[in-house]
Amino acid sequence: MSDKNRTSETNPGHAPSWYAHSANDKTVRPSLEGEHTADVCIVGAGFTGVSAALQLAENGYKVIVVEGERVGFGASGRNGGQIVNGYSRDLETIARRYGPERAKRLGEMSLEGGRIIRERVARYDIACDLVDGGFFAAFTDKQVREMAHVKAHWETHGHTGLEMVSKAEVGKYVKSDRYVGGMIDKLGGHIHPLNLVLGEAAAVESLGGKIFEQSRVTGVDMGANPVVRTAKGRVTAKYVLVCGNAYLGNLLPKITDKMMPVSSQVMATEPLDAKLIEELLPANYCVEDANYVLDYYRRTADNRLLYGGGIGYGGQDPANLTGVIRPNMLKTFPQLANTKIEFAWSGNFALTLTRIPHMGKLADNVYFSHGDSGHGVTTTHLLGKILGEAVAGHSGRYDVWSSLTALPFPGGKTFRVPLTVLGAWWYGMRDKLGV
Ligand SMILES: Cc1cc2nc3c(=O)[nH]c(=O)nc-3n(C[C@H](O)[C@H](O)[C@H](O)COP(=O)(O)OP(=O)(O)OC[C@H]3O[C@@H](n4cnc5c(N)ncnc54)[C@H](O)[C@@H]3O)c2cc1C
């Protein structure tokens, strides 16, 4: 079944995910009505927007977050929940593209997103099932060599949590005979992402910030005091931060031609027998494989297997959400042939041509950040914080990120999808052939 018009039965307004079903707080916030003022108005209550809001609220700013649907409605409340450090491109590629100085700065920040999550979970006592440890699984010796190379380079930037895993040791992390080895990141991990963003949103409110839901922003008027408009209300602010990511639509076409919505699908099995799930994932690490179109999976706190994969360029969902990922799950774990799938959903992330997030300004007082390219649980936390720093006048780190050139997709809005599909097909073939 396609996801586009489905909503959670137990938590309306959210995708029909296991996360929406098991959210700690299902209260709907009021929508924006009438005139409001703020120091900073933030469009979008995903990780980026809420991270920025928290950074600002902690520093005494009056913030208003305006969310079109529900807090965590977008990718932040539907993702694989994997805390993956670094960026969608490795630091060596970043050095080649942007030079050693900027690679050094990005290297220094490459573990910070994960640290921010852990600090906030501890400070605000957020119940989001945080577990440490991630495993990158390799299908081929070539992928193992590439991981070893990434590890060696990342260690020059100070990462001390990486360890290579031999074929004989794979079973410590995942009981599947698909893999020939891999790498662990002890500083990786996993969380219930919707409960994380809900906990962070509650922290913003505890510091005096306001969050409105079901209030789609229909326009941003630039000026000395920019105005954010919805159907029934307006916020006049000193600064606006646009954090709508793949769900921004055509609100601000100047920035959306440099990112493309891409869908990925996730499903959750029924709760498994504790012994079985421990056998499948003994260390309780999250797993992502090394293919171009990758599978990612992990245990949940209630012993389900949460399995994601598949890809839809342009944000299209497949007609049958489990059609691709269930067969992949069974290749990994044939022992689950008779296991029921209780939840299946889809979500969109924002892809950039460079696979590096795009951060910048539409005016002196209107900032944006998006395009974490499928690898955003940690980077959104980092970049939201950096947006907050920039507003507070500490723009050093913002300057580094905003200096990374963003390119429009070749083919414009009409041909960007088929051209990207072609590129992905090519990389997918290379994975299949192991070259
Ligand atoms: C299925 C899936 C699995 C993923 N798995 C992982 C993973 O395991 N690990 C990882 O690191 N990354 C993963 N990602 C990527 C990661 O989830 C995203 O990079 C990250 O959550 C993006 O956060 P965000 O705040 O920028 O955007 P979003 O979370 O999408 O938030 C944007 C918000 O803005 C709102 N909005 C948009 N336009 C408007 C408007 N006009 N008015 C008001 N509100 C608006 C939306 O409703 C939405 O709530 C995954 C993504 C998907 C889709």
Side-chain angles (χ1 to χ4, degrees):
M1 194 192 305
S2 172
D3 176 64
K4 284 283 182 262
N5 299 314
R6 289 201 300 148
T7 176
S8 166
E9 282 173 19
T10 49
N11 198 350
H14 279 291
S17 68
W18 171 74
Y19 298 130
H21 179 75
S22 55
N24 292 333
D25 185 0
K26 297 179 180 167
T27 318
V28 182
R29 293 173 167 82
S31 58
L32 184 80
E33 288 188 14
E35 296 286 336
H36 296 258
T37 57
D39 294 325
V40 187
C41 179
I42 297 171
V43 181
F47 286 146
T48 306
V50 174
S51 175
L54 195 45
Q55 168 70 15
L56 287 160
E58 282 175 349
N59 285 287
Y61 285 80
K62 183 180 171 195
V63 285
I64 293 184
V65 184
V66 185
E67 164 56 46
E69 309 289 341
R70 304 284 308 276
V71 170
F73 163 85
S76 301
R78 318 177 183 208
N79 59 58
Q82 308 216 355
I83 299 176
V84 185
N85 291 304
Y87 314 109
S88 269
R89 285 292 172 268
D90 63 83
L91 290 166
E92 198 176 14
T93 307
I94 288 171
R96 241 187 345 263
R97 268 198 214 154
Y98 306 110
E101 185 47 35
R102 285 186 287 186
K104 180 171 171 282
R105 298 296 303 277
L106 263 64
E108 284 161 7
M109 297 181 232
S110 64
L111 299 173
E112 189 174 328
R115 269 202 300 272
I116 294 170
I117 292 171
R118 289 178 172 92
E119 276 165 20
R120 289 180 177 168
V121 166
R123 186 176 320 145
Y124 299 106
D125 196 18
I126 299 174
C128 62
D129 310 331
L130 173 62
V131 175
D132 290 332
F135 176 56
F136 299 97
F139 293 103
T140 63
D141 292 338
K142 178 172 175 262
Q143 290 175 343
V144 173
R145 285 195 300 276
E146 283 166 357
M147 283 178 194
H149 189 81
V150 166
K151 173 178 178 286
H153 190 83
W154 208 342
E155 283 169 352
T156 67
H157 289 270
H159 196 338
T160 55
L162 301 171
E163 274 174 27
M164 295 308 292
V165 173
S166 68
K167 183 167 187 180
E169 293 167 323
V170 167
K172 280 198 210 163
Y173 303 97
V174 48
K175 177 115 170 96
S176 173
D177 54 16
R178 290 184 90 187
Y179 310 119
V180 301
M183 179 172 78
I184 56 165
D185 183 355
K186 292 183 179 162
L187 304 182
H190 53 97
I191 34 108
H192 184 306
L194 183 56
N195 279 337
L196 174 60
V197 71
L198 286 169
E200 293 174 309
V204 170
E205 290 167 326
S206 74
L207 296 168
K210 290 209 169 81
I211 302 177
F212 295 98
E213 291 186 316
Q214 300 178 329
S215 307
R216 190 156 183 88
V217 173
T218 51
V220 179
D221 301 334
M222 309 289 166
N225 290 108
V227 178
V228 167
R229 284 184 278 111
T230 68
K232 293 189 179 158
R234 288 157 44 102
V235 182
T236 305
K238 294 181 188 137
Y239 293 92
V240 171
L241 309 181
V242 179
C243 306
N245 207 39
Y247 291 87
L248 200 53
N250 284 326
L251 181 66
L252 296 159
K254 259 195 192 158
I255 50 175
T256 43
D257 70 343
K258 299 203 178 73
M259 59 105 147
M260 183 199 317
V262 173
S263 74
S264 178
Q265 290 73 49
V266 189
M267 60 186 198
T269 65
E270 62 188 322
L272 302 180
D273 182 77
K275 260 175 116 181
L276 174 61
I277 190 83
E278 268 162 36
E279 190 187 305
L280 301 183
L281 294 165
N284 199 3
Y285 277 27
C286 59
V287 182
E288 85 172 38
D289 73 40
N291 275 348
Y292 188 76
V293 176
L294 54 93
D295 285 3
Y296 47 94
Y297 51 91
R298 66 183 183 87
R299 262 160 82 171
T300 63
D302 63 352
N303 289 337
R304 297 168 194 273
L305 179 71
L306 191 136
Y307 203 101
I311 209 147
Y313 293 104
Q316 300 302 314
D317 291 342
N320 177 356
L321 286 182
T322 55
V324 177
I325 37 178
R326 188 166 179 276
N328 286 352
M329 178 189 83
L330 293 181
K331 276 189 211 154
T332 310
F333 299 121
Q335 38 303 45
L336 299 184
N338 296 319
T339 300
K340 241 174 58 194
I341 306 302
E342 288 196 346
F343 297 88
W345 64 95
S346 183
N348 289 351
F349 62 86
L351 186 78
T352 62
L353 191 67
T354 58
R355 306 305 192 256
I356 294 295
H358 183 200
M359 183 178 239
K361 282 185 193 178
L362 284 157
D364 280 348
N365 47 12
V366 179
Y367 293 72
F368 65 88
S369 176
H370 57 217
D372 301 83
S373 300
H375 190 144
V377 169
T378 56
T379 36
T380 48
H381 279 82
L382 170 70
L383 297 179
K385 182 172 185 210
I386 290 176
L387 284 177
E389 290 171 2
V391 165
H394 309 295
S395 64
R397 305 203 302 169
Y398 165 82
D399 291 342
V400 175
W401 279 96
S402 62
S403 75
L404 309 176
T405 316
L407 301 168
F409 278 90
K413 283 206 166 149
T414 315
F415 293 111
R416 65 184 184 174
V417 173
L419 287 174
T420 312
V421 170
L422 196 65
W425 173 84
W426 164 247
Y427 284 107
M429 281 307 286
R430 284 168 45 129
D431 285 337
K432 278 202 179 106
L433 298 171
V435 293

